[in-house]
Amino acid sequence: MKVLLFLVAASAVVYGQAPQPCIAPKLWEARMSRIDPSKRFFERARVSYDAINQRMRIIEEVNIKEQRDFFDVLYLHNVGKEYRFNMKTKECAVKELTDAFRPFEVPANATNFGESYIGTGAFPGDGVLITLWGGEGKEGRYMAAFTNNGCVPVEDGFCSERIGCVHTSFYDVVAGISDPNVFIPPKECE
């Protein structure tokens, strides 16, 4: 009986030490870069993210091969619309969104791949401890890194047959939305 009690207690301790998926912020703004080397695609952008209402605004500079464009893109998954304003040509395209909203969060079934430092953990203040997560989702494979403190997204990698592989990095993440009007479609798209 003592052995059985010991095994149950030991199992509880081990399970309690297993990393559990963290809860990422639902509202934030950041700078981001996104790359897909196979398509010679690179994007730098400013993003406003609202997981609660499933919407995202991206002001982006896109480089595909040798062409460079600038867009103001509003994804309103909550109403199934995308507004894409080309800042060079001043043209707006409105289309139905068919892709599901893909939140920047740790899925409940994610596999923990461990912790690592961006920078160094050897000197106080010279690094950020991150936790690496990954797995297989409905749309494809993913791997993501979140800060250990606060669960702030740092990197997101996603591969699917339809899209290919895209790697996204986030910088200067700030909690909340500074201007709630950012989710109103551009006036040029009316």
Side-chain angles (χ1 to χ4, degrees):
M1 182 67 177
K2 287 182 183 180
V3 172
L4 180 60
L5 187 59
F6 172 76
L7 289 175
V8 169
S11 296
V13 168
V14 169
Y15 179 75
Q17 292 176 344
Q20 299 298 310
C22 58
I23 308 290
K26 301 291 185 197
L27 299 166
W28 48 266
E29 294 179 317
R31 291 186 309 129
M32 74 177 200
S33 64
R34 184 175 290 165
I35 188 166
D36 181 345
S38 68
K39 296 177 182 151
R40 294 175 49 199
F41 169 87
F42 177 74
E43 169 189 30
R44 288 186 300 190
R46 179 89 186 134
V47 61
S48 298
Y49 173 82
D50 176 1
I52 297 165
N53 295 299
Q54 297 187 346
R55 53 193 187 172
M56 197 162 40
R57 181 78 171 257
I58 302 176
I59 311 295
E60 61 188 7
E61 173 189 334
V62 177
N63 296 281
I64 301 176
K65 298 180 182 168
E66 303 301 319
Q67 185 175 344
R68 189 165 106 179
D69 279 309
F70 300 88
F71 295 97
D72 178 351
V73 186
L74 178 60
Y75 299 97
L76 297 176
H77 288 270
N78 56 344
V79 295
K81 295 270 188 202
E82 174 188 322
Y83 298 86
R84 180 175 294 272
F85 177 66
N86 185 317
M87 293 189 281
K88 280 170 68 175
T89 65
K90 306 296 183 205
E91 295 175 358
C92 183
V94 181
K95 73 175 200 172
E96 297 294 317
L97 279 174
T98 55
D99 292 335
F101 180 73
R102 189 173 160 268
F104 294 111
E105 65 183 17
V106 183
N109 66 344
T111 301
N112 179 276
F113 294 135
E115 295 177 338
S116 187
Y117 275 95
I118 295 176
T120 180
F123 304 105
D126 283 351
V128 175
L129 182 61
I130 60 169
T131 306
L132 305 169
W133 299 90
E136 195 83 27
K138 288 184 259 181
E139 304 292 322
R141 293 180 324 243
Y142 64 89
M143 185 164 170
F146 293 82
T147 60
N148 203 39
N149 185 13
C151 199
V152 175
V154 176
E155 293 184 339
D156 180 76
F158 181 73
C159 292
S160 75
E161 297 232 357
R162 188 173 67 80
I163 296 173
C165 291
V166 178
H167 179 265
T168 306
S169 297
F170 300 101
Y171 312 92
D172 302 330
V173 179
V174 176
I177 302 297
S178 60
D179 178 9
N181 293 325
V182 75
F183 297 113
I184 295 173
K187 64 182 186 313
E188 296 86 355
C189 296
E190 295 174 352

